[in-house]
Amino acid sequence: ADLDGCDDPRALRAALPRLDLVFSNSSTLARLLAGVAPPQALAEAAARGPRIAVCPVGGEGAWVSAGGSLQKIAGHDVPVADTVGAGDAFDGAFLHAFGLSRDALWSARYANAAAAISAQGTGALGHIPTDPEIRRLLAESTGRASGPGSTFT
């Protein structure tokens, strides 16, 4: 579930035990969890139920809570034209990658690259990244683009 847009802390507390995977940006987490910073807020949200909690933090990357650990995924240094749609690109790419890999950290790396590519276009549909583009950015950033399969379809 994407928590962005949820303005009711009581509704959040009621929903978290019923969710397996949540996405939320840092401002929503801070608002819903009384100003707690993203790493701690994400850990607190995950402690309330979800197996996986993910907080994209723009060009800085993303925080991922999975399997009892909290990790920061590095961002990508790309020229940003427009961030509209980058969060949606992140969420969609994460779900796609996770559906194939069942690896939350790799899925977050993949999603973060997708969001970085999306931000280079203008508008929500300005640039929807393809799998080869995502893997190319991953390879340029990390020296490897390994993940499940050679190509997502």
Side-chain angles (χ1 to χ4, degrees), residues 100-152:
L100 294 172
S101 71
R102 294 299 199 218
D103 181 331
L105 294 177
W106 190 85
S107 297
R109 287 182 189 96
Y110 186 89
N112 197 48
I117 293 166
S118 173
Q120 294 177 67
T122 303
L125 298 175
H127 190 92
I128 298 173
T130 64
D131 179 70
E133 289 174 308
I134 294 168
R135 288 180 182 268
R136 190 169 31 257
L137 180 56
L138 286 170
E140 290 168 2
S141 310
T142 65
R144 59 184 173 84
S146 61
S150 59
T151 306
F152 289 132

Side-chain angles (χ1 to χ4, degrees), residues 18-120:
R18 296 173 175 87
L19 300 172
D20 288 326
L21 168 64
V22 296
F23 297 100
S24 182
N25 64 38
S26 56
S27 60
T28 297
L29 280 175
R31 186 174 65 252
L32 294 174
L33 297 170
V36 178
Q40 293 78 19
L42 195 64
E44 185 176 324
R48 295 177 186 214
R51 285 185 314 114
I52 301 167
V54 183
C55 178
V57 287
E60 295 176 33
W63 285 97
V64 179
S65 175
S69 73
L70 180 65
Q71 294 193 33
K72 175 92 182 291
I73 304 300
H76 297 277
D77 186 19
V78 297
V80 175
D82 187 353
T83 60
V84 172
D88 293 326
F90 182 99
D91 292 359
F94 183 96
L95 292 171
H96 181 69
F98 189 74
L100 294 172
S101 71
R102 294 299 199 218
D103 181 331
L105 294 177
W106 190 85
S107 297
R109 287 182 189 96
Y110 186 89
N112 197 48
I117 293 166
S118 173
Q120 294 177 67

